[in-house]
């Protein structure tokens, strides 16, 4: 049956004026996915203490949501095998949520053994090819599994967020029909997800394709029910957020220093860098509660520790400026 349903204001940050749109005012929620989406694809194991410190620093920057781990199979994603130690090691700041990804009831049972988890995220794909590669099952089967996971989580008082992946295109099946994305979002919302994040997993979408997808998705629920999650492979992520803001969306996922990639989507780069997103949002007059400088320092810190390049344009510009003024 599920398969059938899949057929087809002003603030003084820089003096700039906030975009006037149909959204709910000046607040904008940034969901930091660096410790999960950002690290899951790293070949070398990132030491647990480093993961913990990253999450703590991100929390201190003022972020309200920091996705910190996955309860997926360690054979599939070895980088996330220290999930429990990470969750139990972090400083939980009041008002900050620390969700973890859960694909099935095995993961859910493990989550329930850890009293420190208060929020989970379930994920499904809008294409059969990605569903199979990422979770080893069809879309229909994954929705069945996630329905059970969501109901168990809600029964235990956990909040449940949803992800729809490959909303623009799939690395295996090609372009995604926006109607399929909308149907999947509807299924996730009806399971009790408080919000569904729309993932352009391989970062191929641009303004026109994203607008078309959003128009379809916003038929099934209002903008308050959605977040956007753009990987920045083609450098279109900020433009895509802007289109989403114009449609009324006020939540976006991003990753500090642009870390990341998906192990089951070859060639896809990291998420939109959190620093670049926050810089734009502040310039538009949105209130994120985030201190950009702390975020920039955190991005630089983790890149230095991991020995990788910081791909945030904003970070690089601010750090160069700072070095010149020394
Ligand atoms: P499977 O191999 O079909 O699982 O994997 P299974 O049920 O047949 O079990 C096989 C073995 O795995 C068993 O152990 C299970 O106990 C164990 P054995 O008896 O052989 O010793 N197992 C588990 N262990 C720990 N935790 C679990 C778990 N489940 C089974 N939860 C499965 C199916 C879904 C588990 C696997 O495909 C998987 O882990 N996939 C996750 C892949 C992943 O994490 N991808 C990246 C995240 S999604 C993403 O990045 C997209 C997103 O960012 C949005 C966007 O960008 O679009 C969210
Ligand atoms: Mg992702």
């Amino acid at each position: 049956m599920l398969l059938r349903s899949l057929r087809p204001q002003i603030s003084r940050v820089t003096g700039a004026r906030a975009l006037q749109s149909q959204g709910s005012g000046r607040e904008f929620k940034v969901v930091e996915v660096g410790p999960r989406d950002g690290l899951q694809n790293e070949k070398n194991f990132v030491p647990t203490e480093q993961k913990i410190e990253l999450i703590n620093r991100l929390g201190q920057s003022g972020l309200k949501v920091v996705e910190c781990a996955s309860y997926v199979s360690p054979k599939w994603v070895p980088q996330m095998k220290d999930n429990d130690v990470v969750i139990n090691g972090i400083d939980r700041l009041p008002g900050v949520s620390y969700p973890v990804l859960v694909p099935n009831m095995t993961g859910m049972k493990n989550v329930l053994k850890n009293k420190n988890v208060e929020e989970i995220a379930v994920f499904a794909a809008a294409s059969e090819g990605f569903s199979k590669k990422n979770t080893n099952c069809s879309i229909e089967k994954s929705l069945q599994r996630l329905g059970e996971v969501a109901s168990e989580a809600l029964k235990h008082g956990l909040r449940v967020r949803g992800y729809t992946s490959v909303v623009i295109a799939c690395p295996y099946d090609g372009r995604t029909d926006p109607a399929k994305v909308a149907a999947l979002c509807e299924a996730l919302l009806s399971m009790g997800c408080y919000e569904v994040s729309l993932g352009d997993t391989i970062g191929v979408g641009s303004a026109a394709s994203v607008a078309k997808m959003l128009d379809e998705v916003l038929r099934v629920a209002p903008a308050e029910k959605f977040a956007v999650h753009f990987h920045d492979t083609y450098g279109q992520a900020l433009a895509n957020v802007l289109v989403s803001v114009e449609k009324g969306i006020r939540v976006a996922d991003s990753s500090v220093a642009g870390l990341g990639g998906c192990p089951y989507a070859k060639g896809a780069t990291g998420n939109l860098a959190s620093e670049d997103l926050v810089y734009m949002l502040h310039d538009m007059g949105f209130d994120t509660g985030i201190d950009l400088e702390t975020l920039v320092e955190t991005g630089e810190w983790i890149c230095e520790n991991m020995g990788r390049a910081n791909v945030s344009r904003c970070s690089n510009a601010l750090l160069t400026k700072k070095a010149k003024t020394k």
Side-chain angles (χ1 to χ4, degrees):
M1 208 164 69
L2 287 166
L3 191 62
R4 221 177 311 133
S5 74
L6 286 171
R7 276 197 301 261
Q9 46 279 18
I10 300 185
S11 110
R12 304 250 54 96
V13 180
T14 63
R17 198 177 173 80
L19 198 80
Q20 297 298 310
S21 61
Q22 62 271 51
S24 55
R26 295 177 58 237
E27 295 213 334
F28 198 106
K29 186 169 78 176
V30 175
V31 174
E32 171 62 47
V33 295
R36 193 278 304 170
D37 210 351
L39 299 188
Q40 69 186 9
N41 203 31
E42 285 296 318
K43 297 244 170 337
N44 298 329
F45 188 73
V46 179
T48 306
E49 310 72 52
Q50 244 173 57
K51 290 175 180 149
I52 292 173
E53 185 166 350
L54 174 63
I55 295 164
N56 288 344
R57 284 176 178 246
L58 290 166
Q60 282 154 12
S61 78
L63 281 150
K64 294 288 172 292
V65 188
V66 184
E67 196 175 71
C68 359
S70 297
Y71 280 73
V72 298
S73 161
K75 283 184 196 136
W76 284 60
V77 186
Q79 187 63 253
M80 295 285 120
K81 68 181 178 194
D82 55 353
N83 44 23
D84 266 336
V85 192
V86 169
I87 299 296
N88 295 334
I90 57 175
D91 300 330
R92 309 189 143 262
L93 300 177
V96 182
S97 186
Y98 300 93
V100 298
L101 237 60
V102 181
N104 57 13
M105 282 304 286
T106 308
M108 192 60 220
K109 282 181 190 145
N110 292 337
V111 160
L112 289 174
K113 286 183 205 149
N114 188 330
K115 295 292 166 234
N116 285 322
V117 179
E118 291 168 346
E119 177 171 341
I120 65 158
V122 294
F123 53 105
S127 73
E128 290 297 343
F130 194 69
S131 185
K132 190 92 183 89
K133 289 277 191 216
N134 198 36
T135 52
N136 203 21
C137 66
S138 66
I139 300 174
E140 184 172 28
K141 179 77 188 161
S142 86
L143 288 175
Q144 248 171 38
R145 283 180 184 174
L146 300 181
E148 286 172 45
V149 168
S151 110
E152 189 69 3
L154 293 168
K155 199 170 89 190
H156 287 84
L158 273 63
R159 279 158 51 87
V160 184
R161 188 175 197 243
Y163 277 107
T164 297
S165 285
V166 294
V167 297
I168 302 294
C170 164
Y172 312 103
D173 298 355
R175 285 271 147 193
T176 305
D177 178 358
K180 273 197 173 178
V181 178
L184 195 62
C185 291
E186 198 170 20
L188 289 169
L189 289 169
S190 68
M191 278 173 203
C193 292
Y194 70 86
E195 170 180 293
V196 175
S197 181
L198 301 159
D200 180 8
T201 320
I202 53 173
V204 289
S206 189
S209 46
V210 167
K212 196 168 158 213
M213 179 275 295
L214 288 175
D215 286 343
E216 198 65 35
V217 162
L218 292 171
R219 285 175 207 268
V220 302
E224 295 77 53
K225 288 285 173 192
F226 295 102
V228 284
H229 177 111
F230 296 114
H231 286 257
D232 205 18
T233 320
Y234 284 75
Q236 304 296 303
L238 264 187
N240 294 340
V241 172
L242 197 55
V243 167
S244 311
V245 168
E246 283 171 346
K247 302 272 179 200
I249 289 176
R250 294 291 180 271
V251 186
D253 305 353
S254 60
S255 175
V256 72
L259 297 176
C262 175
Y264 299 100
K266 285 216 171 2
T269 63
N271 297 82
L272 168 60
S274 304
E275 301 89 322
D276 299 4
L277 173 65
V278 169
Y279 182 84
M280 181 182 86
L281 292 173
H282 287 183
D283 188 56
M284 292 170 74
F286 284 113
D287 179 6
T288 63
I290 297 165
D291 178 53
L292 183 56
E293 208 178 321
T294 310
L295 202 55
V296 167
E297 280 164 13
T298 303
E300 205 42 22
W301 172 83
I302 189 66
C303 286
E304 272 168 21
N305 275 279
M306 287 168 64
R308 61 164 281 165
N310 187 339
V311 299
S312 160
R313 300 284 294 266
C314 164
S315 263
N316 287 322
L318 291 175
L319 290 165
T320 306
K321 192 170 149 192
K322 200 170 164 185
K324 277 187 185 155
T325 54
K326 265 189 187 165

